[in-house]
Amino acid sequence: MLKSLLIANRGEIACRIIETCKRLGVRTVAVYSDADVYARHVAMADEAVHIGASPATESYLQAGRIIEAAKAAGAEAIHPGYGFLSENADFAEAVAKAGLIWVGPTAATIRSMGLKDEAKRIAEEAGVPVLPGYRGEAQDAATLEGEAERIGYPLLIKAVAGGGGRGIRLVAKKADLAGELESAVREAKSSFGDGRVMLEKLVEQPRHIEVQVFGDSHGDAVHLYERDCSLQRRRQKVVEEAPAPGMPEDVRAAMTGAAVDLAKAVGYQGAGTVEFIVDGTRPLAKDTFFFLEMNTRLQVEHPVTELITGTDLVEWQLRVASGEKLPLKQGDIPLNGHAIEARICAEDPADNFRPGAGRLYAFNLGNVERLSESSAGAPADALDGDLTLYRLDSGFGAGDTVPAVYDSMIAKAIVKSWDRESAIDALSESLGESIIAGIPSNVGFLKRCLDHPVFRSGEHHVNWIAEEIYALTQAKTDIREAAGRLVAHALLTDTGDTPFDQKDGWRLNAPARRSIRLKLDGEIADIAVDERDAAMDIMPAISITDHSFAVAVDGDTVLVDIPDYEAEAEAIAGGDKVSAPMPGKVIDLCVQPGDEVTKDQTLAVMEAMKMEHSLKAPRDGVVKAVGASVGEQVAEGVMLVELEEV
């Protein structure tokens, strides 16, 4: 077993890797950007090295700096996690040339699986079923049009070097081909520097089922069963589960066998995932699944596999990278119970999933938070069929700041129980009790997905969320009102020393009625309550400050504030601080401390949501402080310019 490891990543996955390393006695080295100086993974590691500015292009994607950091810290190996450089063959090659151990498959394997056309050619040669399509070198319009006619409409255009849902276009009929082709090529060139595309027959109502494979340097390869990742939004996974619902044993054997055959065909080492697209219009059968692609890294959804097999896949990665044989033979890998994972993201589903950032005033995920023992692999009793197990994998906690410059996922809530229905029930209940305040979150959206009868039946498919988007992302109007009544009831409940001091709203010959003015997610509302609202105190709620409360209603968190009229009057009159109205990049600072400014003078310019926003002085005054720098990515609410007090 190697003795020291640098984790070339951040957030949840970096913390996850560090926990396994601590259990195994492996020394850890973290890397961090300016935005992550106080990040949890930095505090957890034995050592941390600064590698650059906040944008990933200036830090986490700087391969040379990461290798230098590993050498300087005395690390033997580099674990890339997922995302960033995890599937970059040049980086894997550079790590090996630097005399370090790469925790993952070889650079040659990454290259062969990284190009979709080459991966499908190899899959076909290995006897793995592949969808009808065109993967040739000729990219002229005439060739592509002819191949499209042969394949038949509808079809998909896919970037050869694609990933993350980019470079993909749906073509419903011949008349749409030219325009969609031009758009796909343009996006492919912009995203991957490679404008080549391939064509593929479209599967109606597709399911996404993938197989976890593992190989070692001794020529062995195994699978750890399948996962269903069909609940997606814009080709990004939302909820994952293992095993796949409705999977017959003969189909499982065929699918997992095909995945292992592919892994052996490329001499695979380490953790990998073979993804299949499945025809969801028919029951699962041996002729309903087709090879999609292979991910040459650890997947975000690996915890559900760990819980049904009782394994720690990060430990397996480290052992294989150290030259050891696989910890288990195929026949010794168990499958027990059902596990499900929900990705918690800092985004607002009601506002087209707009990403958010800022300080987490509250972060509690119900039973998942209270009962989770560890995120490092599967607990010892993971295979006890009578238990419901809860696990939280997170890179953040209450008091931490979520940066605006990285992926919006901040945590994963995972539950394992004896069957699918029980696992969904347990996760839904925990999400319903969750409170996340300070940033927007998708928790309520996730709960609505889990509770929907289509998901419960296992009949959902990759496009299902898009079909039900309004119902799943409905506005929080009713929820806000319920949260307001809860806080109002609490504020207006006062025993008092005498009947005349009580705030019970008593009226002669009429029901008691009380009212109060509150802010619900920033909007003023007059809230009336009566004795029936006393039953609402079972809703989860916490106090953030003396005048601010966070209330959870079915997973959605509502911020309820008691209006501070003095502060608002000051703001109307001028105020002293100019803050970022939303997450974005500071592209100009027009003042410095000591400058005199006049009301409505531009103090700073931000770029957010692809638009420039000029921030004006609220009054005449003198600049006391500047809280950011040009080029910095800032979260919503960050103070940019402060004026001297009047």
Side-chain angles (χ1 to χ4, degrees):
M1 173 66 72
L2 53 85
K3 301 297 183 185
S4 57
L5 178 74
L6 180 140
I7 299 103
N9 219 294
R10 62 176 299 279
E12 170 268 324
I13 187 57
C15 295
R16 163 72 185 87
I17 295 167
I18 291 171
E19 287 194 352
T20 286
C21 288
K22 286 184 179 296
R23 182 173 61 79
L24 297 176
V26 177
R27 175 174 162 269
T28 55
V29 180
V31 292
Y32 65 94
S33 68
D34 288 348
D36 281 335
V37 173
Y38 302 108
R40 180 164 293 194
H41 75 280
V42 174
M44 287 178 63
D46 296 305
E47 185 176 345
V49 181
H50 178 256
I51 55 170
S54 298
T57 53
E58 299 177 37
S59 50
Y60 296 107
L61 292 174
Q62 288 288 324
R65 292 182 195 172
I66 292 171
I67 292 173
E68 289 173 6
K71 287 184 171 181
E76 294 177 72
I78 291 180
H79 193 308
Y82 50 70
F84 294 136
L85 295 169
S86 63
E87 293 182 280
N88 187 305
D90 292 339
F91 181 48
E93 197 167 63
V95 169
K97 286 182 178 179
L100 301 169
I101 297 171
W102 169 254
V103 182
T106 65
T109 299
I110 295 174
R111 286 195 179 96
S112 66
M113 292 293 102
L115 295 176
K116 286 184 167 56
D117 58 345
E118 175 68 4
K120 293 196 173 182
R121 183 192 65 78
I122 295 172
E124 281 183 309
E125 291 182 353
V128 179
V130 175
L131 275 172
Y134 172 72
R135 296 179 288 278
E137 288 297 320
Q139 295 284 302
D140 59 280
T143 297
L144 293 173
E145 182 176 334
E147 291 295 330
E149 286 292 326
R150 177 183 64 82
I151 296 165
Y153 296 93
L155 57 79
L156 289 176
I157 302 171
K158 289 187 174 183
V160 167
R166 296 185 296 275
I168 298 178
R169 296 293 185 276
L170 168 62
V171 185
K173 56 185 183 297
K174 181 178 179 178
D176 299 337
L177 180 64
E180 296 294 353
L181 184 60
E182 181 181 348
S183 176
V185 170
R186 183 169 55 247
E187 185 175 38
K189 286 181 178 178
S190 173
S191 300
F192 314 111
D194 186 343
R196 291 178 300 149
V197 299
M198 62 186 193
L199 306 179
E200 193 169 81
K201 181 65 179 175
L202 178 70
V203 175
E204 304 284 357
Q205 296 188 355
R207 289 179 65 180
H208 178 123
I209 300 178
E210 61 190 33
V211 176
Q212 176 71 61
V213 295
F214 235 101
D216 61 24
S217 58
H218 303 275
D220 197 10
V222 299
H223 70 81
L224 290 94
Y225 306 103
E226 80 282 355
R227 299 183 288 254
D228 190 303
C229 307
S230 300
L231 198 68
Q232 300 184 14
R233 186 186 70 84
R234 295 177 181 172
R235 301 187 178 90
Q236 298 295 311
K237 297 168 186 174
V238 174
V239 168
E240 304 99 348
E241 55 185 313
M247 175 64 77
E249 200 56 50
D250 62 332
V251 181
R252 171 175 293 130
M255 186 181 290
T256 56
V260 172
D261 287 344
L262 180 59
K264 289 182 176 179
V266 295
Y268 201 86
Q269 297 178 30
T273 300
V274 180
E275 300 189 344
F276 295 96
I277 190 168
V278 179
D279 183 353
T281 63
R282 296 190 286 154
L284 281 168
K286 292 180 181 179
D287 62 347
T288 62
F289 67 89
F290 307 91
F291 174 72
L292 183 62
E293 63 182 358
M294 186 176 194
N295 287 307
T296 53
R297 55 172 168 81
L298 193 69
Q299 294 280 90
V300 175
E301 56 271 22
H302 75 274
V304 294
T305 294
E306 292 181 325
L307 287 175
I308 65 166
T309 59
T311 58
D312 182 337
L313 296 187
V314 173
E315 178 180 347
W316 279 41
Q317 285 186 298
L318 300 181
R319 293 195 179 281
V320 166
S322 301
E324 297 182 20
K325 292 184 177 181
L326 290 172
L328 294 174
K329 293 292 185 182
Q330 188 65 72
D332 298 326
I333 301 173
L335 188 160
N336 186 278
H338 196 96
I340 186 166
E341 170 184 294
R343 301 189 185 193
I344 312 296
C345 296
E347 60 188 17
D348 185 356
D351 189 10
N352 197 28
F353 293 87
R354 178 177 65 88
R359 188 167 184 267
L360 277 165
Y361 296 109
F363 186 74
N364 186 295
L365 292 177
N367 282 337
V368 171
E369 183 87 13
R370 290 190 292 273
L371 302 179
S372 177
E373 296 180 5
S374 171
S375 62
D381 51 5
L383 297 182
D384 187 334
D386 295 327
L387 291 178
T388 296
L389 301 174
Y390 298 83
R391 170 170 159 181
L392 174 65
D393 284 17
S394 177
F396 299 91
D400 292 340
T401 297
V402 178
V405 287
Y406 307 118
D407 184 84
S408 63
M409 192 184 78
I410 58 175
K412 301 179 306 196
I414 312 108
V415 171
K416 182 257 181 185
S417 196
W418 51 88
D419 60 22
R420 184 173 188 263
E421 182 179 5
S422 302
I424 295 173
D425 285 343
L427 182 55
S428 174
E429 180 183 3
S430 291
L431 293 177
E433 296 177 353
S434 299
I435 300 179
I436 298 179
I439 60 169
S441 86
N442 66 336
V443 174
F445 163 75
L446 292 170
K447 178 172 170 56
R448 286 188 284 275
C449 287
L450 294 178
D451 291 343
H452 199 286
V454 170
F455 179 80
R456 290 274 177 159
S457 69
E459 297 174 354
H460 59 290
H461 50 82
V462 170
N463 302 319
W464 176 73
I465 284 180
E467 295 172 0
E468 296 289 335
I469 194 67
Y470 178 76
L472 297 173
T473 61
Q474 58 190 331
K476 295 192 294 183
T477 304
D478 295 338
I479 293 173
R480 287 193 182 100
E481 183 180 343
R485 291 202 309 273
L486 172 71
V487 173
H489 171 73
L491 293 173
L492 294 173
T493 300
D494 189 342
T495 56
D497 295 328
T498 71
F500 302 101
D501 295 326
Q502 293 180 8
K503 300 175 183 178
D504 57 5
W506 181 85
R507 293 185 296 172
L508 182 64
N509 298 325
R513 185 176 178 82
R514 299 157 291 168
S515 64
I516 189 172
R517 178 163 290 184
L518 298 171
K519 273 188 176 181
L520 309 179
D521 282 340
E523 298 181 6
I524 290 290
D526 292 313
I527 306 297
V529 298
D530 57 37
E531 61 272 10
R532 292 171 297 180
D533 291 308
M536 294 179 60
D537 59 10
I538 61 172
M539 292 162 47
I542 62 169
S543 174
I544 298 174
T545 69
D546 290 341
H547 295 84
S548 185
F549 306 87
V551 182
V553 185
D554 289 335
D556 284 308
T557 298
V558 180
L559 288 178
V560 182
D561 298 295
I562 304 172
D564 186 341
Y565 294 109
E566 290 185 7
E568 291 178 8
E570 179 186 348
I572 293 171
D576 294 324
K577 295 181 180 179
V578 174
S579 301
M582 65 186 73
K585 182 178 182 180
V586 179
I587 60 174
D588 193 15
L589 282 169
C590 311
V591 295
Q592 56 186 355
D595 287 354
E596 292 187 3
V597 298
T598 57
K599 188 176 186 297
D600 292 329
Q601 177 181 335
T602 298
L603 304 183
V605 181
M606 285 185 63
E607 183 180 68
M609 306 298 287
K610 299 182 180 180
M611 297 177 61
E612 290 190 5
H613 305 267
S614 296
L615 307 180
K616 311 288 187 179
R619 61 173 173 81
D620 295 347
V622 176
V623 176
K624 177 181 179 181
V626 174
S629 57
V630 173
E632 182 178 350
Q633 290 279 350
V634 296
E636 180 179 346
V638 169
M639 188 275 290
L640 302 180
V641 178
E642 183 178 7
L643 304 181
E644 297 278 3
E645 293 184 6
V646 181

